[in-house]
Amino acid sequence: MQTKRLNIAIRPSKELENYIFQIVDQFNLCGEMLFALDGVGYYPHATLYFPEFPIEAESKVCSDLASYCINHKAINTTFTQLEAENGYIVVSFFLNDEVFELHKEIVSLINPLRNGVVRTKYLDVDTLNSLPKNQTRNILTYGYPGVMRECKPHITLGRFKDISIAIEVKRKVNWDFRTLI
């Protein structure tokens, strides 16, 4: 069976998007990047759910999400920290009640369309045994470890080839934007 990973995400406000581009523009001066949010190939977004689906479910996933989102209002949450991990520069934000409810509703809406599909990397017994039990349960139930209370809302700003540069950049970036709308 052919499958496809679909990143279910929130697009930030124009104000936040412009702020992100200003911050990311500074990254290019620091070192070689594998990717950076630029509004051309990589767009600012906050991932809510990132499972794999049978390829034939893609259009149904997209149409169900489009129908759901048509009447959905903007959300508001607060950013918590800037992180550097494995070369990635990530801005995390609170999984407040509003974000959690949106996440939960989206997962409930489209998880059945997975038809039980789980990414191959998560089916490895050693991988499953190395994860906390709640993440293993999420993989088996939702096809992805970062679901429900394990959801870690964030915006990935980019990834440096050299992990040490990402750590240094994280120390220097002054992230002032406080809310996601």
Side-chain angles (χ1 to χ4, degrees):
M1 171 191 330
Q2 284 189 308
T3 62
K4 184 173 184 178
R5 287 177 72 198
L6 297 176
N7 188 355
I8 314 308
I10 302 169
R11 287 285 309 265
S13 66
K14 275 291 183 200
E15 183 184 9
L16 175 55
E17 191 172 82
N18 291 334
Y19 183 78
I20 287 169
F21 293 145
Q22 289 173 10
I23 295 290
V24 171
D25 279 348
Q26 299 168 29
F27 292 176
N28 294 318
L29 306 173
C30 301
E32 185 179 350
M33 298 199 70
L34 299 174
F35 76 90
L37 298 182
D38 58 11
V40 179
Y42 299 97
Y43 296 88
H45 64 278
T47 299
L48 287 178
Y49 186 37
F50 198 22
E52 204 159 296
F53 292 89
I55 199 85
E56 60 272 6
E58 181 178 6
S59 63
K60 176 83 169 127
V61 169
C62 292
S63 66
D64 285 1
L65 286 170
S67 295
Y68 172 81
C69 292
I70 236 165
N71 295 317
H72 206 279
K73 62 181 177 58
I75 62 166
N76 189 14
T77 188
T78 305
F79 288 97
T80 58
Q81 64 185 342
L82 190 67
E83 302 176 70
E85 185 176 323
N86 295 322
Y88 292 97
I89 301 288
V90 174
V91 180
S92 297
F93 55 94
F94 282 115
L95 180 64
N96 63 16
D97 290 343
E98 194 175 6
V99 175
F100 182 67
E101 284 304 311
L102 175 63
H103 167 76
K104 195 165 65 170
E105 289 171 9
I106 285 173
V107 170
S108 295
L109 177 69
I110 64 171
N111 183 56
L113 300 174
R114 280 188 320 102
N115 292 327
V117 169
V118 175
R119 284 182 67 193
T120 305
K121 81 174 196 174
Y122 294 134
L123 294 176
D124 176 73
V125 174
D126 291 334
T127 300
L128 284 173
N129 288 336
S130 72
L131 295 171
K133 287 182 182 178
N134 49 347
Q135 287 186 3
T136 300
R137 183 189 66 244
N138 284 347
I139 289 168
L140 299 174
T141 306
Y142 304 109
Y144 186 67
V147 180
M148 297 305 165
R149 289 295 173 192
E150 295 298 312
C151 180
K152 306 282 187 245
H154 67 278
I155 297 175
T156 302
L157 302 178
R159 185 176 189 189
F160 285 92
K161 185 174 183 179
D162 183 333
I163 293 170
S164 64
I165 292 175
I167 293 167
E168 187 60 31
V169 166
K170 178 216 170 218
R171 288 186 194 126
K172 291 180 179 179
V173 170
N174 181 22
W175 183 269
D176 282 343
F177 212 95
R178 292 287 161 230
T179 60
L180 172 71
I181 300 173

